[in-house]
Amino acid sequence: MRRAHLAAGACLVALLLYPVVNPWQPYPQAVLLMGFLLAVQATSWNIISGYAGYISLGHSMFLGLGAYTVGILAVRWGVNPLWVAPLGGVTATVVAVLIGTVVLRTRGHAFVIITIAMLLAAQIIAVNSRDLTRGSDGITLELPFWHRDFQNIPFYYAFLGLLVVTVLFSAWIRRTKLGTGLVAIREDEGKAASIGVHTTRFKVVAYAASAFFIGVAGGVYAYYLTFINPVGSFAILGSVTIVLAALAGGRGTLYGPVAGAFAVNLVSEAATVYAGGVQSRVLLFGGALVLVVLFLPKGLLPTAGAWWRRRHPAKVEYIEQPAALAVRERTPPPAAAPGEVLLSVRGVSRRFGGLVAVDDLSLDVRQGTITALIGPNGSGKTTLFNLVTGGLPADSGEIWFDGRRIDRLRPWRRCHLGLGRSYQVTRLFKDMTVRENVVAPLADARWRTMLSDAVRGHEAERARELLDLVGLGRFAGQQAGALSYGQQKLVELAQVLMLEPKLILLDEPAGGVNPSLLGRIAEVIRELNAAGVTFLVVEHNIPLVLDLCDPVAVLAGGRLIAEGPPGRVREDPVVLDAYLGADWVPAVR
């Protein structure tokens, strides 16, 4: 990333010096400033569509809103458009919040179609609001106040400055917990909600943030053109160009949309000059979009970066894995008196059509215990976890946590109360680094937490401590998807611990884990429990359950069939018949 910053700095210096070195050629300046404008739009679009993964095909609407806001105010107030250009960004942001609160409840094809509809609706409103916008006749602005010898130079620097601020703003967002939360939403929105990310708020904030600088640019662009009309301000081709620029350069990266914008703008200008104008541009953009999706799905910069890493592979750091800690017969320490009920499931049921996954189930988990939840496959264990954490709604019954009813709360609200969970199949955000995965959770809903720095400061220091706790501190900078399955299990545990939970639901922590890491997982659970963390563990490794957990609850057919100390449960004839088998004996340990 350091090389990318240095290259960007060198390009910025060259662009700053260009009008000084070559001030008497307005055409190249005009081409470059249009590239700056497209880069501002693509970088802003990248916040909602690159980071959060919500593809918008109507983002040029905000350029038109900014242009009309500035044009109307400049004419009515008799002021220079540049002075009121920031108000174009304010208008775009307000409209984005109002629209985003509604449309961001959808995603996928529905969201794309709605954004196109909003763009077309804005064009129709501009045509029909003649008293405000002068309809199809458009609004004519005053000519620039500077001497004509300066030509496009003031606009050149205005758009370049706006581009620099937009890129810095995008970089700042990506460094915060807001940025990591947006990437988490892109990769797995359900998992993001389960680690405390208020997904609705994050998406609305990102949508509003992606509109502001486009609105400001729209105001400056209106002054540059000195004329605004509905068709030109709310053109669908403008939105397609924005999307093409971001995809071509590298969606979800910092500098990809900028590089893509310059490439697309130069090709577009060449098509206009040499290939016959607008019709050729439409055909060119359509073909280019198809080619990018088919052959450069990650964009120019990510593809070039991957090629460079293949040619210059980085040194891989290895960490000595702790030796397998044998699960052995031992004299258990004196059991502490069970605390008050922390989690209470009361008569909960959940059906999937004709299948009853959880059937009038009642279960209590007491504070300070490591409670096991065992049973055959299909007995409802994972479904119960989903009901407790909010991944699924219960058909009936009540769920209480720490003295508060939670079955009607959203997943992130339950998480903020101190409820964390891991998954049977790890659901890490694999395009993030290990450190970013651990930093992503939010323990509360405060704005200060959402906007805190995820790279430095308290959050990053806490993540470093947790990675050291699970023995993976040296992997903090590596991609989470490059770790082994057992290491990913440990990272997911560290991710949950970032929430400082009162109760952790572990879904098969030993499943698919190398024996060299199984002992480490068990020891971490014991250490955390000794520090006051309560666990509810789903596990099929019965020797591990008998050694680690007390008490043990057994499910079968969605019902609780046995509950009590491990020694009594393993000899219960009902449990032997339904799950363990009559000839079951503990493995040699």
Side-chain angles (χ1 to χ4, degrees), residues 135-373:
S136 300
D137 294 336
I139 299 175
T140 301
L141 301 178
E142 63 181 30
L143 294 175
F145 62 85
W146 51 82
H147 195 275
R148 62 182 181 181
D149 288 344
F150 291 102
Q151 300 181 67
N152 291 324
I153 292 178
F155 286 116
Y156 177 98
Y157 282 115
F159 281 118
L160 178 57
L162 194 57
L163 172 59
V164 172
V165 174
T166 305
V167 172
L168 291 175
F169 179 69
S170 177
W172 172 76
I173 285 181
R174 186 62 183 86
R175 287 174 57 90
T176 63
K177 291 177 77 72
L178 170 62
T180 56
L182 293 176
V183 177
I185 290 172
R186 181 188 72 196
E187 296 199 23
D188 189 337
E189 189 165 341
K191 170 64 185 289
S194 75
I195 60 172
V197 175
H198 192 320
T199 55
T200 302
R201 179 198 292 178
F202 272 53
K203 291 184 292 186
V204 172
V205 169
Y207 196 55
S210 71
F212 177 77
F213 288 105
I214 297 181
V216 177
V220 181
Y221 186 52
Y223 191 33
Y224 172 71
L225 295 177
T226 68
F227 179 72
I228 317 166
N229 72 332
V231 175
S233 299
F234 301 103
I236 185 66
L237 183 59
S239 288
V240 173
T241 307
I242 295 171
V243 175
L244 178 59
L247 293 181
R251 179 168 68 101
T253 63
L254 179 60
Y255 296 117
V258 178
F262 279 98
V264 169
N265 185 63
L266 291 175
V267 172
S268 172
E269 189 65 24
T272 302
V273 173
Y274 300 109
V278 176
Q279 291 78 8
S280 61
R281 287 174 59 199
V282 174
L283 292 175
L284 182 66
F285 285 169
L289 192 58
V290 172
L291 293 175
V292 167
V293 171
L294 290 178
F295 300 106
L296 285 175
K298 293 185 178 181
L300 290 170
L301 293 191
T303 302
W307 175 85
W308 177 266
R309 287 189 294 272
R310 286 196 301 269
R311 296 292 300 270
H312 304 84
K315 294 181 179 179
V316 179
E317 292 188 0
Y318 293 94
I319 183 171
E320 293 183 4
Q321 302 297 347
L325 300 176
V327 181
R328 58 191 182 279
E329 290 290 348
R330 58 184 174 86
T331 303
E340 297 180 355
V341 173
L342 184 60
L343 174 68
S344 180
V345 179
R346 305 176 184 176
V348 169
S349 297
R350 172 68 190 190
R351 295 174 177 270
F352 297 96
L355 174 66
V356 182
V358 176
D359 188 6
D360 194 28
L361 177 64
S362 295
L363 174 69
D364 288 339
V365 176
R366 293 190 174 272
Q367 191 168 359
T369 62
I370 304 178
T371 302
L373 188 63

Side-chain angles (χ1 to χ4, degrees), residues 365-372 506 522 525-530 533-537 545 548-552:
V365 176
R366 293 190 174 272
Q367 191 168 359
T369 62
I370 304 178
T371 302
L506 296 179
I525 293 173
R526 290 192 184 97
E527 291 173 12
L528 294 170
N529 182 245
V533 180
T534 304
F535 288 88
L536 178 60
V537 183
V545 168
L548 185 65
C549 303
D550 189 6
V552 177

Side-chain angles (χ1 to χ4, degrees), residues 3 35-36 40 49 57 114 147 153 192 229 256 265 292 322 342 380 417 470-471 482 484 501-502 508 515-516 538 582:
R3 292 192 185 96
F36 301 155
V40 169
S49 299
L57 280 181
I114 290 174
H147 195 275
I153 292 178
N229 72 332
N265 185 63
V292 167
L342 184 60
L417 293 175
V470 299
S484 70
K502 300 174 184 176
E508 297 196 26
S516 66
V538 167

